[in-house]
Amino acid sequence: MIIITGATGKLGSLIVQRLLERIPVERVGVSVRDTDRAAGLVAHGVRVRRGDFTDPESLVGAFEGATQVLIVSASETGDAAVAQHTAAIDAARAAGAERILYTSHQATAADSLFAPMPDHAATERYLAATGTPYTALRNGFYASTVPLLLGQALETGELVAPADGPVSWTTHADLAEAAAIVLADEGRFDGATPPLTGPDALDLEDIAGILTELTGRTVRRVVADDEEWTAGLIGHGVPESQANMLLGMFHASRRGEFTTTGPALTNLLGRDATPLRSVLEESATPR
């Protein structure tokens, strides 16, 4: 049985959908913190059990009978995230899983300026040291982040954000389909995958240009001061720790941490990976 964690989240839910297109439902199980949110999966015949990374005992039953476990990375950062990931890895091994998969990132590095990246690196090191066969899915940066960075750009004509660098934006849908393919074709990748990314690395200047083309209205890229931008977020209710983490994303992109692209995702999908322009077309369409 293939067990997927975080199956009611944005990525996990899509992975389950795509996996059910490839293997019988009786081979699919999910581990979720709130089973009530997975009622739809129960109705489709998916085995649903409660499993919480912060409650390792709950994972014993959630992972029972697993041949593969896909661990969708936690939303936390720092020691808490790594502790949750290692608890899930330990539980998967205890359940007898023959392979453990983990949603990592193409920019995984211990010295990254973006807080989640060292967490991914630490988790990958732990996985590699267990001796259990594993696959670290080196996913590209989620393209769904871009609409959040636009702010009022479509209304004001100014895309205001700190200095940045190119990012290989990649859609949840493409990454979910790729994960399902790898799960259904067990052992396709051993260890870390090549970068699973969209076709291009684009910065906010590029994005402003695409928005200008799509809307017919000039969208100008305006570089904000780091401290002023962060203070503005905090002033609008964003916790200081989260604001600083977001600023780290810009610092990392300036250093070129997210520029990597490659053909692996396209090759897995058997079609072109979705370009960011498609995501922006949806954002720029009046509702």
Side-chain angles (χ1 to χ4, degrees):
M1 174 170 280
I2 297 173
I3 305 296
I4 299 169
T5 74
T8 55
K10 186 167 185 176
L11 181 63
S13 61
L14 289 173
I15 293 172
V16 174
Q17 290 175 28
R18 298 287 81 82
L19 186 60
L20 290 173
E21 296 169 356
R22 290 171 169 79
I23 66 173
V25 67
E26 58 267 20
R27 291 184 54 202
V28 180
V30 300
S31 169
V32 295
R33 285 183 295 181
D34 183 355
T35 56
D36 290 341
R37 293 182 58 196
L41 293 175
V42 173
H44 280 87
V46 175
R47 192 188 86 177
V48 174
R49 292 185 178 176
R50 178 183 175 273
D52 188 332
F53 291 174
T54 64
D55 178 12
E57 283 297 316
S58 71
L59 300 175
V60 174
F63 294 174
E64 181 185 8
T67 55
Q68 296 186 84
V69 174
L70 171 62
I71 299 169
V72 176
S73 56
S75 57
E76 288 83 355
T77 57
D79 291 344
V82 177
Q84 290 182 37
H85 298 157
T86 56
I89 291 166
D90 290 344
R93 296 183 68 223
E98 298 165 5
R99 177 170 295 274
I100 301 171
L101 297 92
Y102 171 72
T103 58
S104 191
H105 198 282
Q106 60 95 340
T108 295
D111 64 347
S112 173
L113 299 178
F114 186 42
M117 302 301 105
D119 301 341
H120 288 311
T123 301
E124 286 194 20
R125 287 196 302 273
Y126 188 82
L127 258 175
T130 64
T132 298
Y134 77 96
T135 301
L137 298 165
R138 290 278 183 90
N139 290 342
F141 213 116
Y142 294 146
S144 59
T145 305
V146 174
L148 304 178
L149 299 178
L150 298 183
Q152 302 300 309
L154 295 175
E155 290 75 34
T156 65
E158 293 187 340
L159 201 174
V160 182
D164 69 317
V167 177
S168 50
W169 304 106
T170 314
T171 66
H172 276 79
D174 282 356
L175 293 171
E177 186 175 348
I181 291 168
V182 173
L183 285 165
D185 186 7
E186 185 174 353
R188 187 161 184 165
F189 290 105
D190 193 40
T193 68
L196 302 173
T197 73
D200 305 301
L202 304 175
D203 62 16
L204 292 180
E205 184 76 37
D206 298 322
I207 289 168
I210 295 172
L211 290 173
T212 296
E213 293 174 12
L214 292 174
T215 63
R217 178 187 178 191
T218 299
V219 177
R220 185 169 63 95
R221 170 72 168 104
V222 178
V223 177
D225 176 80
D226 285 1
E227 293 184 4
E228 290 179 3
W229 184 82
T230 305
L233 290 182
I234 295 170
H236 283 87
V238 176
E240 183 175 357
S241 59
Q242 185 177 348
N244 288 330
M245 183 184 74
L246 291 172
L247 182 61
M249 178 184 71
F250 288 96
H251 288 169
S253 69
R254 289 176 207 170
R255 197 167 74 168
E257 293 187 22
F258 308 129
T259 60
T260 301
T261 60
L265 181 58
T266 290
N267 291 342
L268 262 179
L269 299 176
R271 59 171 174 80
D272 290 340
T274 306
L276 182 63
R277 187 184 186 93
S278 297
V279 177
L280 294 174
E281 285 174 351
E282 184 174 345
S283 298
T285 301
R287 284 169 168 59

